[in-house]
Amino acid sequence: MKLLLILLSVMTLTIQDKRSVTADGTWPYDFEVSYYNTGNKGSVTAKDTATLTLSHLDGIAIEKVEVYVRSNKDAGSGMFTVTANEEVVATKSGTYKEWFGAYNNTDFQALSLLEKPIGSVDALGIQLVGSVNSIHIEKYVITWGAQTPKTVTFMQSYRVYTTLTEESANKGVRLPQLPDTAHWHFVGWTLTQVWEVTEQPEVYLANAIFHPEEDCTLWALYGSFPETAPTCMTEIESGAYMYVNRDLNIVLADVPDGGTMAYAPLDASNDQLYYYVDFVSPDTAYIAHAFSLTPIGYVGNELTVAASPWLVYHEGEETLFYMIYENKPYILWLNIWHSHEYFYAGLLQTEPGPSPMALMTAPMSCGQPTYTCHPDTEDVEQVSAPSRTYSVPFGPFELIINNGKKELRIR
């Protein structure tokens, strides 16, 4: 990962007693720290654990983590574990002698715990579990830097469509929506420039929040798709569906981020656009992103990653999801206009009723799609599906294609 640091700072956390440390140096504004040793102050014996936890770090980049330690006269060992955002990023185990070449019960020496810098850190944990008496900790020294906002260049074929820079580091940018061309359907944005392929590269959907790790370029991806015959659900039945606005040919996309979701052009061949809908009754359902199994729910009147019960309005081919907040109904709607800036998918306060919303199953197809980042250079020849049966992994499901006809099965 490329870390763009504007200035390195140092914070020192010196142990005062078994439950507290003092902080010196420079730290993020809302930073919080806690320390607890099951033993005595900074001394860790074979039965003890010392844990330092830092939170509200505002997505900083951490260059170094050093802990100042000494041993007993002729023994002392244990294991350090470093976590960032609750994920293990480094471990160091062994004896003090292995770390420094000899035991030392007089002088504290700096033990470096990171092999490489780590970026976008909101929470940091440093834990020592003792194995042989004793390791003694004096202080922790953390060298860090604030990350700079990243810039994304958006390419539409061979020209720059626009560039967007994060308002602040790690905030991300909202991906633009492009229109279809005369012969090609806009799919989304990709880090991989392609000319003519039948396998879809990794796509970031328009209207979603994209979090770049460094300055980068995204290419507009277009698809050409064979004739399809999509089918709307008419009888209540649990399964994998696209949540579709049939008037606009757009579908729910991605997972909740910042209280909203994205929508995308209807593309029945894109397995990332399907959601598993579990109808626990004709008027109540739970929704999860079918490929990642991420639950789609709400807190208050905002979307979030949670298993929440959705109320169901169903009539004929129409299916509409909604919830009640402060005694008012909010429907799950695909194209809500935000402050004259952009459209997004989210919760719209209005009564459920007749609408173009529907649940659409995986349609039958007569061939494979073709993808390109350069739809204006030349027509790309369609590639027909082979006359045989094959399967495509699809999250917890399996997509069976038999002479172009698709069937979704649980794996």
Side-chain angles (χ1 to χ4, degrees):
M1 179 186 296
K2 180 181 178 182
L3 302 181
L4 303 178
L5 307 183
I6 57 175
L7 179 66
L8 289 179
S9 301
V10 176
M11 52 179 159
T12 300
L13 304 150
T14 303
I15 295 173
Q16 294 301 294
D17 54 49
K18 66 181 295 178
R19 294 179 181 271
S20 65
V21 296
T22 58
D24 294 299
T26 306
W27 50 80
Y29 178 75
D30 291 326
F31 143 89
E32 293 182 3
V33 60
S34 66
Y35 172 78
Y36 181 68
N37 187 349
T38 60
N40 180 28
K41 196 177 178 180
S43 300
V44 179
T45 69
K47 67 180 186 304
D48 295 324
T49 300
T51 304
L52 180 77
T53 303
L54 308 179
S55 57
H56 301 291
L57 297 178
D58 297 332
I60 64 174
I62 296 181
E63 189 77 10
K64 291 192 298 182
V65 173
E66 296 174 307
V67 56
Y68 282 72
V69 293
R70 66 172 177 81
S71 66
N72 286 351
K73 183 177 180 180
D74 54 8
S77 65
M79 178 175 179
F80 282 97
T81 301
V82 180
T83 60
N85 305 330
E86 299 184 353
E87 294 186 7
V88 175
V89 295
T91 60
K92 186 179 287 290
S93 62
T95 68
Y96 187 93
K97 182 177 180 180
E98 291 171 337
W99 297 335
F100 297 105
Y103 292 106
N104 185 333
N105 67 341
T106 304
D107 302 315
F108 287 96
Q109 300 185 74
L111 180 65
S112 180
L113 300 183
L114 292 185
E115 293 185 358
K116 59 182 180 180
I118 49 177
S120 304
V121 180
D122 294 309
L124 181 72
I126 307 169
Q127 183 180 77
L128 170 62
V129 178
S131 54
V132 176
N133 298 358
S134 291
I135 297 293
H136 306 273
I137 304 173
E138 178 194 27
K139 62 184 177 182
Y140 304 84
V141 178
I142 299 169
T143 304
W144 62 279
Q147 289 188 259
T148 59
K150 310 302 187 300
T151 296
V152 182
T153 301
F154 294 88
M155 296 296 297
Q156 187 178 27
S157 189
Y158 293 107
R159 72 180 184 89
V160 176
Y161 173 75
T162 189
T163 59
L164 295 176
T165 300
E166 295 177 291
E167 292 182 6
S168 59
N170 306 305
K171 187 171 184 179
V173 298
R174 188 174 293 273
L175 300 179
Q177 173 75 53
L178 298 185
D180 296 341
T181 71
H183 303 290
W184 292 87
H185 180 64
F186 174 68
V187 177
W189 299 93
T190 178
L191 287 164
T192 306
Q193 180 183 190
V194 297
W195 279 264
E196 179 182 341
V197 295
T198 56
E199 182 176 346
Q200 178 182 290
E202 183 178 5
V203 171
Y204 301 95
L205 300 174
N207 304 301
I209 302 297
F210 174 68
H211 297 277
E213 294 185 351
E214 58 187 359
D215 292 347
C216 65
T217 298
L218 290 177
W219 297 83
L221 183 70
Y222 295 82
S224 178
F225 306 101
E227 294 289 333
T228 60
T231 303
C232 294
M233 184 194 76
T234 56
E235 301 292 332
I236 295 290
E237 182 180 1
S238 298
Y241 301 95
M242 293 179 291
Y243 188 51
V244 182
N245 183 314
R246 291 170 290 170
D247 286 352
L248 300 177
N249 285 322
I250 58 176
V251 300
L252 187 67
D254 212 4
V255 297
D257 187 348
T260 67
M261 290 179 63
Y263 65 86
L266 197 162
D267 176 5
S269 66
N270 186 350
D271 55 16
Q272 298 284 346
L273 299 180
Y274 286 84
Y275 296 83
Y276 187 80
V277 182
D278 182 14
F279 289 98
V280 295
S281 71
D283 58 4
T284 306
Y286 288 83
I287 306 173
H289 188 236
F291 193 84
S292 65
L293 297 183
T294 302
I296 309 300
Y298 47 83
V299 170
N301 61 351
E302 293 189 340
L303 296 175
T304 190
V305 175
S308 305
W310 290 93
L311 299 176
V312 180
Y313 178 94
H314 178 74
E315 184 68 34
E317 291 189 342
E318 179 188 355
T319 303
L320 181 68
F321 296 109
Y322 68 103
M323 47 78 75
I324 304 296
Y325 175 64
E326 294 183 344
N327 297 318
K328 296 179 181 179
Y330 287 76
I331 63 174
L332 180 56
W333 200 246
L334 299 188
N335 57 321
I336 302 173
W337 184 234
H338 176 77
S339 301
H340 305 285
E341 295 179 9
Y342 57 84
F343 286 96
Y344 68 93
L347 292 171
L348 179 67
Q349 200 285 297
T350 189
E351 293 287 338
S355 73
M357 302 306 298
L359 289 179
M360 189 172 290
T361 61
M364 297 170 59
S365 173
C366 62
Q368 290 178 319
T370 302
Y371 298 94
T372 184
C373 292
H374 302 286
D376 53 348
T377 55
E378 60 181 346
D379 289 333
V380 180
E381 182 180 356
Q382 292 290 322
V383 181
S384 300
S387 179
R388 62 186 178 89
T389 299
Y390 59 101
S391 64
V392 179
F394 180 47
F397 306 97
E398 183 177 31
L399 189 63
I400 306 298
I401 304 177
N402 184 14
N403 291 331
K405 296 182 178 181
K406 294 183 179 180
E407 177 185 357
L408 195 64
R409 301 176 183 173
I410 297 177
R411 299 174 70 182

